[in-house]
Amino acid sequence: MKLIIAIVQDQDIPSLIDDLTKKDFRVTKLASTGGFLKSGNTTILMGVEEELVPEALKIIEDNCQTREITTSLLTVSMPGDTYIPYPLEVQVGGATLFILDVEEYIKI
Ligand code: 2BA
């Protein structure tokens, strides 16, 4: 078995969870926050049999879009201790995935 950890944009979650559960994948959804943008995203945990990993990845790929986000994280220092926000454009997503081997899967 593999553990898929997927970090996904919040907007993509409703359709993604629907499609995964329709195909009988089990999913746990966690609220998370990106370190760079400091805004909310969603982390999903999925225990998946190895032969089903490609199917799970395809569903994730089909539901998770890449988006351009404009943020004003950066500030430019001006004379006289003034800081003005400087727009920064970053590309977020589709999804960031970690796929780990599961040593044991126990339900009690
Ligand atoms: P954030 O950390 O909020 O990052 C949002 C987006 O900002 C990233 O999109 C990337 O395009 C950009 N970004 C991140 N760090 C940057 C930096 N030091 N300089 C310039 N741009 C930077 P994604 O790569 O699609 O990542 C989306 C979210 O996935 C991240 O949100 C973070 O929560 C998670 N993530 C991505 N890579 C990760 C990793 N190696 N480990 C843990 N979490 C990760």
Side-chain angles (χ1 to χ4, degrees), residues 7 33-39 41 88 90-96 98:
I7 303 164
T33 304
F36 187 70
L37 293 177
K38 297 180 176 52
S39 63
N41 54 28
L88 169 72
V90 289
Q91 202 178 61
V92 185
T96 299
F98 301 89

Side-chain angles (χ1 to χ4, degrees), residues 51-69:
E51 63 276 14
L52 294 175
V53 169
E55 187 184 354
L57 296 186
K58 173 82 171 67
I59 295 172
I60 295 170
E61 194 181 345
D62 288 347
N63 280 280
C64 296
Q65 293 176 31
T66 300
R67 295 184 180 86
E68 296 281 340
I69 308 269

